[in-house]
Amino acid sequence: MSTTAKSGSPWARVTNWWDTLNRPQKWVFGILLFVAVGLSPLFTPGFIDTPGISFGGTMAQFAMIAIIAIGLNVVVGQAGLLDLGYVGFYAVGAYTVALLTSPESPWNQMSPSGFFSTPWAWLSCVPLAMAVTALTGLILGFPTLRLRGDYLAIVTLGFGEIIRLLADNLADITNGPRGLNEVAFPHFLENEQHPEGVFSVSNSSGDANYGTWWFWVGLVMIVLILLLVGNLERSRVGRAWIAVREDEDAAEVMGVNTFKFKLWAFTIGAAIGGLSGALYAGQVQYVAPPTFNIINSMLFLCAVVLGGQGNKLGVILGAFIIVYLPNRLLGVHFLGIDMGNLKYLFFGLALVVLMIFRPQGLFPVRQQLLAYGKAARSLLRARPTDTEPVK
């Protein structure tokens, strides 16, 4: 395909237009988009509504998967580490909240007052879930990140399955395949209509249902994580990640401590996955092993590949496609088949087509100067042309 044809495609026009904007303009468009997306469950356009399920619930699920995609993008897209068992970190975060707050857990720390008091128990568990998951990533990464490529992928795949099997078999602690019920959630805006607050599953009617409230919480978390990851990308850590991703041997020869920075990526990505797990546990208020199977781990990776590895906003779009498409087709029948049940077929076909025509994803990351970028661009603009005399 010629360069002209590529640059004339709709996706290329959008990405090229975005790349021409300066940072303040991107902030303005980002804030407007943030407000529009946040209000979408209350004012849902008919052409994007999900008739088979609440649109607020769909967006709440999207927020969770988007957080996972951003965390996995740090590991896969930024540092170039193929992680096939990322669902394990998701499970650790969810089970941390469930074990500390579920009445069926022997480790339940709920109390009428104090750090784990009922109104604030979930919020208290969020930083603990992130810390435990980050520690898990550190413990896993320390002996395994000396491996590369397929070997690392197999090890992480095994880690994800080990976490699920532990949750399934440690019945005395995790309640086995029956799972843990009545996980804590924020008790906010309690009134006669919503005795347990707006985040409770009892608030299931109307546009501002519990799914919508959880989506708003997830949206705030997405913005905070994007700011954190964006600053890391522009720092020495981000430049080291890119060097490791492009050529680990060359980076090591140039003095980059590749193992340390890979461990940084693994730990940060694990903490973000744990945050999403805590969000899932509070929203669903039930945690069980089947949720954390290897298929879901593949779907998380699919979101990163579809959106564009290394592009934070691209992987969020990939997460939206992963969540929205099955919910949009739910209840739509063709030849007696519920199209919502064929999501794995659709995602498989999408990946095949994408790898043929756009292997870098829908929104590939733009290569740019990360160090002294503004000064370098200013010097290039001020460079005299060949026709001008040099003074």
Side-chain angles (χ1 to χ4, degrees):
M1 186 181 292
S2 65
T3 306
T4 306
K6 287 181 180 179
S7 61
S9 65
W11 289 117
R13 286 198 295 268
V14 172
T15 54
N16 291 338
W17 167 78
W18 180 259
D19 291 341
T20 59
L21 300 179
N22 56 37
R23 193 168 180 79
Q25 289 173 329
K26 289 181 179 180
W27 269 99
V28 170
F29 281 105
I31 292 172
L32 292 176
L33 182 62
F34 173 81
V35 173
V37 172
L39 294 176
S40 61
L42 302 180
F43 308 98
T44 309
F47 64 91
I48 66 169
D49 197 10
T50 51
I53 190 173
S54 164
F55 188 73
T58 299
M59 295 303 285
Q61 186 182 0
F62 153 67
M64 286 188 297
I65 304 302
I67 293 174
I68 291 174
I70 297 171
L72 185 57
N73 183 58
V74 171
V75 179
V76 178
Q78 294 295 325
L81 307 173
L82 184 55
D83 187 349
L84 298 183
Y86 194 77
V87 72
F89 300 128
Y90 182 50
V92 170
Y95 267 100
T96 300
V97 177
L99 288 171
L100 291 174
T101 62
S102 172
E104 299 177 354
S105 166
W107 296 353
N108 181 10
Q109 299 295 313
M110 293 279 283
S111 61
S113 61
F115 192 68
F116 289 100
S117 61
T118 300
W120 304 104
W122 179 83
L123 191 60
S124 303
C125 288
V126 169
L128 290 176
M130 295 180 67
V132 171
T133 315
L135 180 61
T136 304
L138 184 66
I139 294 172
L140 174 67
F142 195 80
T144 61
L145 287 179
R146 302 183 191 279
L147 302 173
R148 300 186 189 180
D150 299 340
Y151 300 101
L152 179 61
I154 295 299
V155 170
T156 55
L157 181 67
F159 163 74
E161 278 298 283
I162 287 171
I163 295 296
R164 183 186 66 82
L165 290 173
L166 284 175
D168 205 16
N169 289 283
L170 296 178
D172 293 338
I173 299 175
T174 64
N175 209 23
R178 290 174 296 178
L180 296 170
N181 286 299
E182 300 180 40
V183 178
F185 58 91
H187 288 254
F188 183 67
L189 295 180
E190 296 179 346
N191 52 43
E192 294 182 358
Q193 185 179 1
H194 307 298
E196 294 183 308
V198 293
F199 288 97
S200 170
V201 292
S202 60
N203 178 26
S204 57
S205 59
D207 293 329
N209 53 32
Y210 80 103
T212 301
W213 282 92
W214 279 109
F215 165 59
W216 288 337
V217 171
L219 199 59
V220 172
M221 290 181 177
I222 288 173
V223 173
L224 295 177
I225 294 170
L226 286 177
L227 291 174
L228 170 65
V229 174
N231 286 329
L232 282 174
E233 285 181 0
R234 291 184 292 273
S235 71
R236 179 171 177 262
V237 176
R239 296 194 294 271
W241 285 344
I242 293 176
V244 171
R245 181 189 68 195
E246 297 301 325
D247 193 323
E248 185 173 344
D249 292 327
E252 198 159 2
V253 169
M254 295 301 294
V256 177
N257 189 336
T258 57
F259 176 75
K260 182 182 77 171
F261 287 108
K262 288 195 295 183
L263 197 59
W264 263 103
F266 216 67
T267 305
I268 292 171
I272 296 174
L275 171 62
S276 183
L279 194 67
Y280 166 80
Q283 180 188 342
V284 180
Q285 296 158 38
Y286 170 71
V287 176
T291 307
F292 310 106
N293 55 45
I294 195 63
I295 296 298
N296 283 331
S297 195
M298 295 301 105
L299 284 179
F300 301 158
L301 186 60
C302 182
V304 175
V305 174
L306 278 175
Q309 299 181 46
N311 189 335
K312 303 183 299 297
L313 299 180
V315 300
I316 292 176
L317 175 65
F320 180 77
I321 295 173
I322 291 295
V323 173
Y324 177 76
L325 184 61
N327 288 322
R328 182 67 180 85
L329 296 177
L330 192 65
V332 177
H333 291 82
F334 180 73
L335 299 177
I337 302 173
D338 189 340
M339 303 300 288
N341 295 329
L342 300 179
K343 61 180 179 180
Y344 299 117
L345 173 63
F346 293 141
F347 295 147
L349 291 174
L351 284 176
V352 170
V353 173
L354 200 69
M355 291 302 101
I356 295 174
F357 296 103
R358 201 172 180 84
Q360 293 181 325
L362 295 176
F363 286 97
V365 63
R366 180 169 68 103
Q367 301 298 330
Q368 56 183 331
L369 292 169
L370 295 179
Y372 310 107
K374 184 180 294 185
R377 283 190 290 269
S378 300
L379 288 173
L380 288 173
R381 293 193 197 100
R383 185 185 63 182
T385 61
D386 296 335
T387 57
E388 294 177 352
V390 179
K391 298 180 180 179

